[in-house]
Amino acid sequence: MSNFTLATVLISAAVFTATGGYTLLPKSLFDPSCNIKGNISIGTGEKIYHVPGQHYYAATKISPQHGERWFCSELEARQAGWRRAGY
């Protein structure tokens, strides 16, 4: 294994662990009850979470490569610095 590959694997593992691990994976690969969508506004960078039943919940897509993630509770989302969508 090259030094570059080893460094990439170690850094990826560290990021995965530091961010809660499962939150970087598609929801279907971890816990389907973790259905709160953590979205980041393109225009402002604001971190907003959406719960099932809210107006734009179904249309909201999660892009982990942009820092977006899934949460298992509203408390978890708020503790991570996200606010609830206002609609």
Side-chain angles (χ1 to χ4, degrees):
M1 181 181 299
S2 73
N3 286 342
F4 176 78
T5 303
L6 179 59
T8 301
V9 169
L10 292 175
I11 291 169
S12 296
V15 169
F16 182 79
T17 302
T19 59
Y22 66 86
T23 60
L24 296 176
L25 300 173
K27 183 181 98 165
S28 61
L29 295 179
F30 61 96
D31 185 349
S33 68
C34 297
N35 59 359
I36 297 173
K37 297 178 178 183
N39 185 253
I40 299 176
S41 171
I42 293 171
T44 66
E46 187 174 15
K47 295 177 177 180
I48 304 166
Y49 68 87
H50 303 261
V51 298
Q54 285 187 305
H55 186 69
Y56 291 104
Y57 180 85
T60 301
K61 305 296 181 216
I62 300 303
S63 300
Q65 68 273 22
H66 295 123
E68 298 176 337
R69 56 185 280 189
W70 294 92
F71 294 101
C72 297
S73 71
E74 288 192 66
L75 178 61
E76 178 187 8
R78 287 191 305 273
Q79 287 178 335
W82 303 61
R83 73 156 178 87
R84 184 180 171 123
Y87 39 84

